[in-house]
């Protein structure tokens, strides 16, 4: 049922209507941030296509095909783990038959490389041309579709040219720009936004059995990506935050020599985008305190006392503007598009360091 997918009401309603009127486009491109439910919605569409007794809100969830598909979805991670561990890499093991008429394709892994191989795509093309086994339609979901190289994308185009009415293709990706224009122009694109923070918080509390404070912290830090919020390593976060709090506190009374030493310490922090995420949160909180905000507005409410002491110093007045600059830098660092990455490795770190030193250089 579409109601089981969090958020994205407009997209859900459009898909439910298209299915009810039997006017689902032959090819959909589901694009948008990581971890907001694109693949989940694609699976809900697939379920509606194979369900024996669909409702106005998609699959019934009760009939035999619905239950078999649900089982396929449940065991798929185990099948992927088995494929990962196989001694001989076999790309076709990453084409998962979730139900006789529902195929899910994921990038295959061999050694360090993760990509959608042309063999995987050719297998899809063959199946797209075939009739459904038992349902009124078949669904083909290609996850992380941007990981098809050009050869694979060209092979895929065949399926998009004239798919039989009974075959529905769904490409899922956070990077639609990486797909050939000929592919994009043949798909109806559904653009997903971030999930509202309240929805992410509620889901985190029920799924992880955590309190409202931690749920809020995870939701804010992940910027509305439930997937990221669920897997966030809060211990690593706390350790990184402690480093940065000490740096900010030391910066207040630092000499020029001290600052160079601080720069070295920051440089030693392993993950520049993560450090910037944490720093942005701290600076936002300092700005909120400086503006008279209460504890309920803080991301890092658990270290509110230390933040209040910092906000009373010279950093308080500049914190909000700095938070913006730090956030912008982080977005640039994370805004990498396959094949067009502008900054990597050492350059990432240098830029991050610049922003951080700006934060620390208190006039
Ligand atoms: Zn059903």
């Amino acid at each position: 049922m579409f109601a089981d997918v969090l958020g994205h009401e407009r997209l859900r309603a459009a898909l439910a209507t298209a299915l009810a009127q039997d006017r689902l486009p032959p090819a959909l491109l589901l694009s948008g941030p990581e971890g907001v439910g694109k693949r989940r919605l694609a699976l809900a569409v697939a379920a509606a296509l194979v369900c024996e007794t669909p409702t106005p809100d998609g699959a019934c969830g009760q009939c035999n095909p619905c239950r078999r598909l649900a089982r396929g979805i449940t065991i798929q991670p185990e099948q992927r783990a088995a494929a990962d561990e196989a001694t001989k890499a076999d790309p076709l093991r990453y084409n998962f038959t979730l139900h006789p008429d529902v195929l899910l394709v994921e990038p295959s892994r061999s050694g360090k490389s993760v990509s959608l191989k042309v063999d995987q795509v050719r297998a899809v093309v063959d199946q797209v041309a075939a009739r459904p086994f038992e349902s009124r339609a078949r669904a083909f979901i290609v996850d992380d579709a941007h990981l098809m190289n050009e050869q694979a994308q060209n092979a895929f185009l065949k399926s998009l040219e004239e798919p039989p009415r009974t075959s529905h293709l769904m490409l899922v990706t956070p990077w639609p720009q990486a797909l050939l224009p000929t592919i994009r122009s043949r798909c109806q694109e559904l653009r997903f936004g971030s999930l509202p923070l309240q929805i992410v918080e509620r889901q985190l509390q029920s799924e992880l059995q955590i309190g409202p404070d931690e749920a809020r912290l995870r939701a804010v830090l992940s910027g509305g990506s439930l997937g990221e919020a669920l897997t966030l390593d809060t211990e690593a976060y706390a350790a990184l935050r402690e480093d940065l709090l000490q740096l900010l506190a030391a910066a207040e009374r630092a000499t020029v020599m001290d600052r160079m030493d601080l720069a070295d310490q920051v440089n030693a922090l392993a993950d520049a985008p993560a450090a910037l995420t944490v720093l942005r949160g701290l600076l936002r909180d300092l700005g909120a305190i400086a503006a008279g905000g209460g504890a309920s507005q803080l991301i890092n409410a658990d270290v509110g006392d230390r933040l209040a002491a910092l906000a009373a110093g010279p950093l308080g007045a500049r914190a909000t503007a700095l938070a913006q600059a730090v956030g912008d830098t982080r977005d640039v660092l994370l805004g990498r598009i396959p094949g067009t990455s502008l900054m990597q490795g050492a350059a990432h770190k240098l830029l991050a360091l610049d922003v951080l030193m700006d934060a620390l250089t208190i006039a």
Side-chain angles (χ1 to χ4, degrees):
M1 298 208 317
F2 289 118
D4 296 337
V5 179
L6 293 174
H8 313 301
E9 287 80 3
R10 193 179 51 81
L11 294 178
R12 273 169 22 196
L15 288 169
T17 305
L19 280 160
Q21 299 176 347
D22 197 18
R23 285 168 45 187
L24 187 69
L28 296 172
L29 173 60
L30 295 82
S31 67
E34 301 263 20
V36 298
K38 299 185 296 298
R39 168 167 157 156
R40 204 176 270 243
L41 192 54
L43 287 167
V45 171
L49 289 170
V50 299
C51 174
E52 280 172 353
T53 51
T55 73
D57 190 45
C60 74
Q62 309 293 323
C63 68
N64 180 288
C66 276
R67 289 205 309 271
R68 277 156 63 211
L69 175 58
R71 162 108 184 115
I73 293 171
T74 307
I75 63 171
Q76 185 261 338
E78 298 163 28
Q79 296 173 333
R80 182 206 299 132
D84 284 346
E85 279 163 23
T87 44
K88 191 171 170 295
D90 178 2
L92 290 177
R93 289 189 66 176
Y94 293 87
N95 287 18
F96 302 95
T97 303
L98 304 178
H99 169 284
D101 289 317
V102 179
L103 186 75
L104 169 68
V105 182
E106 285 188 358
S108 62
R109 291 170 234 206
S110 57
K112 279 185 188 161
S113 100
V114 180
S115 64
L116 280 155
K117 300 282 189 302
V118 69
D119 286 351
Q120 292 179 268
V121 172
R122 289 201 179 112
V124 174
V125 173
D126 287 346
Q127 292 197 49
V128 166
R131 302 275 311 157
F133 282 108
E134 54 185 69
S135 318
R136 63 186 173 284
R138 309 186 76 182
F140 300 86
I141 301 169
V142 181
D143 203 357
D144 283 326
H146 60 283
L147 293 178
M148 286 189 280
N149 63 21
E150 196 164 331
Q151 191 192 11
Q153 291 195 39
N154 279 318
F156 193 75
L157 268 175
K158 271 196 190 147
S159 286
L160 290 172
E161 270 156 15
E162 274 178 33
R165 265 191 59 77
T166 48
S167 288
H168 292 274
L169 295 149
M170 288 177 267
L171 299 177
V172 177
T173 177
W175 294 115
Q177 309 92 316
L179 294 170
L180 295 173
T182 40
I183 288 200
R184 291 183 71 178
S185 66
R186 283 175 171 82
C187 296
Q188 173 91 45
E189 186 165 354
L190 304 177
R191 292 193 181 86
F192 287 63
S194 301
L195 287 169
L197 292 184
Q198 299 89 317
I199 290 186
V200 177
E201 283 179 43
R202 268 206 307 276
Q203 187 64 16
L204 288 170
Q205 287 191 48
S206 75
E207 231 174 284
L208 298 178
Q209 308 282 317
I210 54 176
D213 282 353
E214 189 181 345
R216 182 179 163 76
L217 180 69
R218 283 174 178 262
V220 173
L221 289 175
S222 67
S225 163
L226 180 63
E228 204 181 306
L230 282 168
T231 56
L232 187 79
D233 183 345
T234 47
E235 277 181 33
Y237 172 80
L240 194 50
R241 185 179 68 178
E242 182 57 35
D243 285 347
L244 288 165
L245 272 172
Q246 288 185 17
L247 287 176
L248 288 175
E252 280 202 306
R253 44 178 195 283
T255 64
V256 174
M257 286 305 289
D258 289 339
R259 288 220 179 96
M260 290 175 68
D261 189 39
L262 289 175
D264 282 344
Q265 289 183 45
V266 175
N267 202 21
L269 295 174
D271 183 344
L276 290 177
T277 303
V278 180
L279 182 63
R280 180 186 57 176
L282 291 171
L283 289 167
R284 263 181 51 178
D285 285 351
L286 290 178
I289 296 172
S296 66
Q297 293 179 24
L298 300 184
I299 302 165
N300 300 281
D302 55 322
V303 288
D305 290 350
R306 293 169 71 186
L307 291 172
L310 278 171
L315 200 53
R318 304 170 58 223
T320 301
L322 283 169
Q324 181 69 42
V326 168
D328 290 349
T329 309
R330 174 183 177 272
D331 288 347
V332 170
L333 292 189
L334 293 177
R336 57 195 190 279
I337 298 169
T340 60
S341 173
L342 298 174
M343 289 171 296
Q344 290 184 324
H348 269 181
K349 232 176 191 173
L350 276 178
L351 185 58
L353 196 59
D354 262 2
V355 174
L356 197 55
M357 286 317 292
D358 185 30
L360 298 175
T361 308
I362 296 152

